[in-house]
Amino acid sequence: SYAQAVAKNGKELMIIDAMGSPKNVYYSNNSGLSWTTYTTIPSTYSTEKLKASLTHFILYPNFKSANGATWEDFLPMAPAPKPYDVAVTGNVVLTAMSQGYFGYSLNKGHTFNYLSSTKVSASNDLMAAKAVDANTFLAADRKGNIFISTNQGQTWTQKTTSTVNNVPRKFSVSNDKNTIVLSALGSAYVSFDAGNSFAYLNTSTGSAHFQTIKPVTGKVIDVSPLYSAPSFTHTGFEFYDFNTSNARTLIGTVSVNIAQDIIDVHMANDNVGYLMTRVASTNETIVYKTTNGWLNTSTVSAIPTPSTGIRTYDGRYGNIYTFGTDTVIICGSGNPVNNQTNFYHISTNGGLTWNIVYPDFSVPTNVLGNE
């Protein structure tokens, strides 16, 4: 047989007989002197992972129980698969999912709310979402249609109408909530009036650009590849900022010695920022850093990523998250062993070195989007 055993509070024990039919839960509140048997374990998963907190036994990823008699589904299954984007704003977490669904949490993801009867977009996958604050939510579907809700997703107002398949990637919002930019594999949208209206960002179209926002000044930063004549080979990146008139100014450049795709750019503050690129020929991830708002840029590290098996859109997936200026998390599409997406890289020294982390929960082996 196969069993898992955990303990909480020093004397409460639980054992799951994973091979039983039905599966049995054995619980003791006296360090194993006596046991109570329950057969109420949820049967949603075939390889349950049993853990314990100070107050509950946890059956990953979404059930908890005080003693095994009953189990609470505190993180219910989403109404659709494939969350294409997961975005955090303070305590608020938003997910953009396939088939036009979304979910939100007001407590850092400990519990989630899904309006399973309401789709944000009736016919297209949601590719990006972001909470401006605890009430105002943003979402964008695969075509680049942008929606805004001011009542936690109960109702939505469509702000743009698009027919192109520009595949939005993420929203960035300034600290004063006035400047919003939606980055995409196609053209980017920008709002300088807190989401009341959106327009195309005044840059060349195409999937080679990516954007972020200087959080305090609210200036949009656009990164674009630099090609040199006469061969028009990729030789660097250019950094532009945009004012509220949607006028752009070149602020800096950096040279590269091999062609790279821009994956994400993110500002930790108005000075410190990180740029993530991927070498198409090897799928190696390269991380660049600035400490003066992209006036100057340097390469800080390179991270191997899968050499085979990159799926549609995956080659351009990956997000940067910062906690302060030196703790950086990046996600990607796959690992070097089997192309799973159950990992992230973390650096605590400003991107100089990285550790790979595999979260302790089960995920499918084929998932698009960002972990």
Side-chain angles (χ1 to χ4, degrees), residues 129-298:
K130 180 70 172 177
V132 178
D133 52 41
N135 294 306
T136 304
F137 297 165
L138 298 164
D141 68 16
R142 186 181 296 276
K143 298 294 183 182
N145 299 305
I146 299 175
F147 305 84
I148 189 168
S149 172
T150 57
N151 55 11
Q152 295 185 342
Q154 300 295 321
T155 57
W156 294 86
T157 301
Q158 187 169 340
K159 307 303 294 188
T160 63
T161 300
S162 177
T163 58
V164 298
N165 201 40
N166 72 335
V167 191
R169 284 287 315 282
K170 76 169 187 178
F171 285 99
S172 299
V173 182
S174 62
N175 287 351
D176 64 7
K177 308 177 186 178
N178 288 326
T179 306
I180 301 168
V181 65
L182 173 65
S183 298
L185 295 189
S187 300
Y189 283 100
V190 65
S191 172
F192 294 111
D193 57 8
N196 290 312
S197 62
F198 284 86
Y200 282 121
L201 189 67
N202 182 25
T203 182
S204 59
T205 59
S207 61
H209 293 243
F210 213 71
Q211 298 78 32
T212 185
I213 289 179
K214 289 186 175 180
V216 176
T217 62
K219 286 190 174 182
V220 177
I221 298 296
D222 176 77
V223 187
S224 62
L226 176 63
Y227 299 97
S228 297
S231 61
F232 291 98
T233 56
H234 183 206
T235 59
F237 296 107
E238 295 181 317
F239 300 88
Y240 293 86
D241 72 19
F242 292 75
N243 60 26
T244 54
S245 297
N246 208 356
R248 67 176 186 165
T249 302
L250 179 65
I251 57 176
T253 61
V254 63
S255 298
V256 301
N257 56 14
I258 187 172
Q260 303 160 37
D261 292 327
I262 301 170
I263 306 301
D264 192 16
V265 60
H266 178 76
M267 299 297 296
N269 56 37
D270 277 20
N271 293 312
V272 177
Y274 296 87
L275 167 66
M276 176 168 56
T277 70
R278 192 160 293 143
V279 179
S281 59
T282 63
N283 290 310
E284 182 181 52
T285 297
I286 300 177
V287 181
Y288 298 83
K289 182 179 181 179
T290 182
T291 58
N292 59 9
W294 303 110
L295 299 177
N296 301 101
T297 305
S298 60

Side-chain angles (χ1 to χ4, degrees), residues 312-326:
T312 303
Y313 298 126
D314 278 23
R316 292 291 180 87
Y317 269 100
N319 273 354
I320 304 170
Y321 301 93
T322 56
F323 302 85
T325 58
D326 294 331

Side-chain angles (χ1 to χ4, degrees), residues 66-136:
N67 57 13
T70 59
W71 293 85
E72 176 189 353
D73 186 356
F74 69 92
L75 195 63
M77 295 294 290
K82 297 179 181 177
Y84 286 105
D85 190 24
V86 178
V88 182
T89 303
N91 292 332
V92 185
V93 184
L94 258 60
T95 59
M97 292 175 288
S98 65
Q99 304 173 27
Y101 290 105
F102 91 107
Y104 71 94
S105 170
L106 301 179
N107 55 9
K108 297 185 179 180
H110 291 284
T111 58
F112 257 85
N113 301 285
Y114 298 111
L115 300 182
S116 57
S117 62
T118 304
K119 294 184 177 183
V120 177
S121 177
S123 57
N124 298 301
D125 297 337
L126 288 188
M127 303 300 291
K130 180 70 172 177
V132 178
D133 52 41
N135 294 306
T136 304

Side-chain angles (χ1 to χ4, degrees), residues 295-308:
L295 299 177
N296 301 101
T297 305
S298 60
T299 307
V300 290
S301 55
I303 304 171
T305 48
S307 59
T308 59

Side-chain angles (χ1 to χ4, degrees), residues 329-351:
I329 289 177
I330 67 171
C331 65
S333 55
N335 64 49
V337 179
N338 54 15
N339 205 31
Q340 288 181 320
T341 55
N342 59 338
F343 81 102
Y344 60 88
H345 292 282
I346 183 169
S347 173
T348 57
N349 57 10

